[in-house]
Amino acid sequence: MKAKDFEQRFDKGIDLTDSLDLSKVRRVLQEQKRVNVDFPTWMVDSLDREASKLGVTRQSVIKVWLAERLETTASNLPYQHKRGGTAHR
């Protein structure tokens, strides 16, 4: 499909998923790296309560809270990714 046709279909709101090669898709700056962290029992219990209230996993709560903190820490600005319309790189 030519770019012009692709753009026209996109502008009309047509689903173009079948026209894309998704086999090599990756999220920029979102590669995963496993880390192990030991938390005191009271902290795990608090995280579990919060996760239950939000209907998400403990890991999701930890990721969101850490991301929020890192985004507000000035010393980490050079390492932040584009989020919420603000680029820090």
Side-chain angles (χ1 to χ4, degrees):
M1 174 183 321
K2 294 187 179 200
K4 179 181 174 184
D5 296 331
F6 187 91
E7 289 175 4
Q8 287 176 344
R9 291 180 183 190
F10 177 83
D11 290 341
K12 291 179 182 177
I14 297 172
D15 182 5
L16 296 166
T17 307
D18 292 337
S19 303
L20 303 172
D21 177 10
L22 302 176
S23 64
K24 296 181 183 176
V25 172
R26 67 181 186 89
R27 295 176 65 189
V28 178
L29 297 176
Q30 297 295 315
E31 295 86 9
Q32 300 290 313
K33 183 174 183 178
R34 183 171 301 276
V35 297
N36 294 316
V37 180
D38 295 323
F39 294 109
T41 303
W42 70 266
M43 198 177 289
V44 174
D45 293 342
S46 294
L47 287 165
D48 288 345
R49 280 193 301 276
E50 188 66 24
S52 179
K53 281 195 293 188
L54 297 171
V56 298
T57 63
R58 177 193 310 149
Q59 182 176 1
S60 294
V61 171
I62 294 168
K63 284 182 179 183
V64 169
W65 286 357
L66 282 173
E68 289 172 351
R69 177 61 183 216
L70 291 170
E71 288 178 353
T72 60
T73 304
S75 63
N76 286 314
L77 290 178
Y79 302 103
Q80 290 183 5
H81 60 281
K82 185 175 183 177
R83 185 174 171 134
T86 306
H88 295 288
R89 196 164 221 188

